[in-house]
Amino acid sequence: MRFDDSLKTVLSADMESGFGARSAWRQLVDLIGRGRAAPDEAALTRLRALREIVPVEIRAASGRALAFAMPPAPLVALFAEDGLAVAAPVLRTARLDASAWLDLLPKLNPEGRALLRHRRDLPREVIDGLAAYEAVDFVLPAAETTATATESQPAAEAEPLPDTVQPQGDASEQDVRPAPSVINMDAFRDAVPARSPAPAPATEPSAPDLSPAPHGGFRIADVVARIDAFQRQRDEAPIAEPAAELDAFRFETDAQGLVVAIDGGARGALIGVSLAVAMRQGSVTVDTAIVDAFLRRRRFSGARLDIAGRSELAGGWQVAGLPLFDKSGRFTGYLCTTQRPAGGDLNEGAERRRGSELLRQLVHELRTPTNAIAGFAELIESQLLGPVSDAYRGHALTIQAQAARLIGAIEDLDTAARIEGEALELHPEPVPIEPLLARVARDLSAFADAHNTAFDLHPMGGHAALTDSRAVERLLSRMLAALAGAAAPGERIDIAEAPADDGEVAICFARPAALAAIIDDDSLLSLGDHDGGSDGPLLGASFGLRLARDLARELGGGLSVGKHLLTLRLPAAVPALVGAPA
């Protein structure tokens, strides 16, 4: 029998310093979230104490890390007490039974319950429980009252506070108003009757009296009676026939790419979405092919548009767009038509997203122990746990290097899974190309020296790309590592600016002789690894180049194969291009 003393070790560590508190917070959340420690009162009390000194960014990251874990109900409740940025990732993904959710609902604020209303995987009992709070969550806040109690009234003569909820009014009409009572949500929930079909009454029930009391306010019993009447009337109402599913609709944008008009569908789902941004916008995800065509003012067809939610436009759409110009040749926007893709395409996309989610879950399970190994090796090498001989410090450095290599491969797999599952989050911004290339080449200089090769970076003319800085840095890093790992001793890799169309930035890379087999995209799938030994890319050159190609497409560009060069194209950061004459 083995005893897991991980929780005891964490609780006995230093938590006063900033670093110690952050480390303890991460470890406690991870242990409880993965079922390695019980969510007892001591651990939860320690987490509440740490929450006061751990930055919100660290707490939010811990919440996102629980996306593929199975956190217990007490830990979910603890995160729900925090701000929306910290609680939202946990409330969106937590999987609890119906009784645990019902116990948690009274502890949530309206924002937290609003997040749960957008989930489609909750039990029916929880959905009914959320419906019971609509009368509270959907009430607009009233203006602050200016009425104050008269100080001259003796305390003995003051009337007892009635159990009413007072509306706001003019202070001149009444100088003394009883304070509003606090509604106990547990009692309120229990007071609301279950939503079960009621037998048809023999006579038509009289409409409830909706007029306020003579002195203002409503009694709790009246509020409950109104909710009961509303639910009874809703259950007795005839069920409307479901509307026929839309097969197609059209929409139009302005010169900045914002959707301004829709023909044949609900306006609210798409109005205000921009075709110039390749990222999720609320419930809408725009294909990078649409963004690329918008920047070039070109036609496009077969692009993808995904709309989440329950509106009649929800689902996946195939989009074709035609640029519009006025008589002077000035670009005025796009006219787009959409249609539902074939059923096989939708099924294939759903299967691909499920496979991507499974891979991301596996990546998450690999990342946690690998980070722990790397951190423990760093503690040994830095002798924070006590004196260590030089031999063991050398072994610790080797473990750190191999763990860093494994973490890089895990991050690459995670990025590939997000691309496959259409879940990659991008935040486009102007990114200067030449400084970024210089930094990536400098970071890989030791790796290139070990292979007796080097990067020859030529001037780029100060161009900048409109792209996600982290994604394009990973793209360039994996591409240069793949080229350096495949280079023969003495080969040098030239990197220079390439001719590009308006609205594009193009970079060409000389490919090593070992990569001569690359003639098209299919060649990337059968390319040898060329990982360059134990210090090279763990997943090989083939995976690195495929990842670079897929990232380029997600960023609105592409990676093309020439006879002697590989050419990377990205959208240019040219603000004057938007709205300029074509």
Side-chain angles (χ1 to χ4, degrees), residues 18-34:
F19 176 81
R22 297 179 186 184
S23 178
W25 170 272
R26 292 193 186 99
Q27 295 178 51
L28 278 175
V29 170
D30 186 72
L31 288 173
I32 298 175
R34 299 185 180 282

Side-chain angles (χ1 to χ4, degrees), residues 133-495:
Y133 286 91
E134 292 178 356
V136 176
D137 293 347
F138 295 162
V139 173
L140 295 177
E144 293 186 1
T145 181
T146 57
T148 59
T150 304
E151 299 178 358
S152 60
Q153 182 180 7
E157 300 177 3
E159 297 181 359
L161 296 178
D163 185 19
T164 57
V165 179
Q166 300 290 344
Q168 305 302 321
D170 189 358
S172 61
E173 298 178 0
Q174 187 175 3
D175 294 331
V176 181
R177 288 188 182 270
S181 63
V182 178
I183 299 178
N184 186 303
M185 293 309 304
D186 292 330
F188 183 77
R189 181 186 63 176
D190 296 337
V192 179
R195 294 177 56 189
S196 57
T203 59
E204 187 70 18
S206 60
D209 184 12
L210 302 182
S211 60
H215 301 291
F218 302 95
R219 295 188 180 279
I220 297 298
D222 296 338
V223 176
V224 174
R226 294 183 187 191
I227 296 175
D228 184 21
F230 168 76
Q231 292 177 343
R232 185 171 57 251
Q233 293 171 6
R234 180 176 59 184
D235 292 336
E236 295 171 358
I239 300 177
E241 292 294 330
E245 186 181 54
L246 288 179
D247 293 328
F249 70 95
R250 297 187 302 171
F251 64 90
E252 188 174 346
T253 76
D254 60 11
Q256 283 70 41
L258 297 177
V259 178
V260 295
I262 295 178
D263 181 20
R267 292 171 49 86
L270 202 58
I271 289 293
V273 172
S274 173
L275 300 189
V277 180
M279 60 180 292
R280 187 176 182 87
Q281 306 173 54
S283 61
V284 181
T285 303
V286 179
D287 194 347
T288 54
I290 299 178
V291 179
D292 181 57
F294 176 82
L295 294 174
R296 303 184 187 189
R297 307 295 190 257
R298 293 180 178 177
R299 295 189 180 193
F300 63 86
S301 61
R304 180 82 178 187
L305 183 70
D306 292 293
I307 304 175
R310 290 186 172 182
S311 70
E312 59 181 351
L313 300 186
W317 298 88
Q318 287 182 341
V319 187
L322 177 69
L324 304 176
F325 303 90
D326 59 17
K327 295 181 180 180
S328 64
R330 185 178 181 84
F331 173 72
T332 59
Y334 267 88
L335 179 62
C336 301
T337 59
T338 66
Q339 64 179 4
R340 296 280 187 185
D345 294 340
L346 290 176
N347 295 335
E348 180 182 354
E351 290 293 335
R352 185 172 63 252
R353 284 190 289 272
R354 278 194 292 269
S356 169
E357 183 175 349
L358 291 176
L359 179 57
R360 289 174 60 191
Q361 184 173 358
L362 174 62
V363 166
H364 181 77
E365 296 294 339
L366 291 174
R367 183 189 288 115
T368 300
T370 306
N371 282 326
I373 292 171
F376 193 70
E378 184 178 359
L379 291 176
I380 295 175
E381 191 276 330
S382 58
Q383 303 187 72
L384 291 178
L385 301 178
V388 179
S389 65
D390 292 341
Y392 279 101
R393 291 183 66 190
H395 292 321
L397 284 174
T398 302
I399 293 174
Q400 286 188 65
Q402 294 299 327
R405 191 164 174 244
L406 179 57
I407 290 173
I410 290 173
E411 295 295 339
D412 288 346
L413 286 173
D414 183 61
T415 302
R418 290 177 182 273
I419 294 174
E420 185 69 15
E422 301 177 356
L424 186 65
E425 295 184 3
L426 300 174
H427 304 280
E429 59 180 339
V431 178
I433 293 298
E434 186 171 355
L436 178 59
L437 271 171
R439 184 171 70 252
V440 173
R442 184 169 59 252
D443 293 340
L444 293 173
S445 59
F447 174 67
D449 292 341
H451 291 76
N452 195 18
T453 185
F455 303 109
D456 290 336
L457 182 60
H458 298 273
M460 293 289 170
H463 292 295
L466 183 63
T467 183
D468 183 277
S469 58
R470 296 179 61 184
V472 75
E473 182 174 358
R474 180 173 293 274
L475 185 160
L476 295 173
S477 175
R478 296 306 177 261
M479 191 167 181
L480 293 186
L483 296 178
E491 277 190 300
R492 301 182 70 86
I493 300 172
D494 287 310
I495 307 171

Side-chain angles (χ1 to χ4, degrees), residues 50-137:
L50 290 172
R51 184 168 59 192
E52 303 300 325
I53 55 179
V54 175
V56 65
E57 295 82 5
I58 302 298
R59 305 201 304 273
S62 298
R64 292 192 296 270
L66 294 174
F68 296 106
M70 293 286 290
L75 185 61
V76 175
L78 185 140
F79 270 84
E81 298 169 1
D82 213 324
L84 190 61
V86 179
V90 179
L91 293 177
R92 288 195 187 106
T93 58
R95 294 184 288 275
L96 305 176
D97 55 29
S99 60
W101 279 121
L102 290 176
D103 291 339
L104 181 61
L105 290 184
K107 304 174 185 178
L108 299 178
N109 55 23
E111 291 80 4
R113 289 190 287 267
L115 283 173
L116 294 183
R117 290 189 179 95
H118 288 282
R119 293 187 57 167
R120 302 293 176 260
D121 57 343
L122 295 178
R124 181 63 189 177
E125 299 92 329
V126 181
I127 297 176
D128 291 341
L130 288 169
Y133 286 91
E134 292 178 356
V136 176
D137 293 347

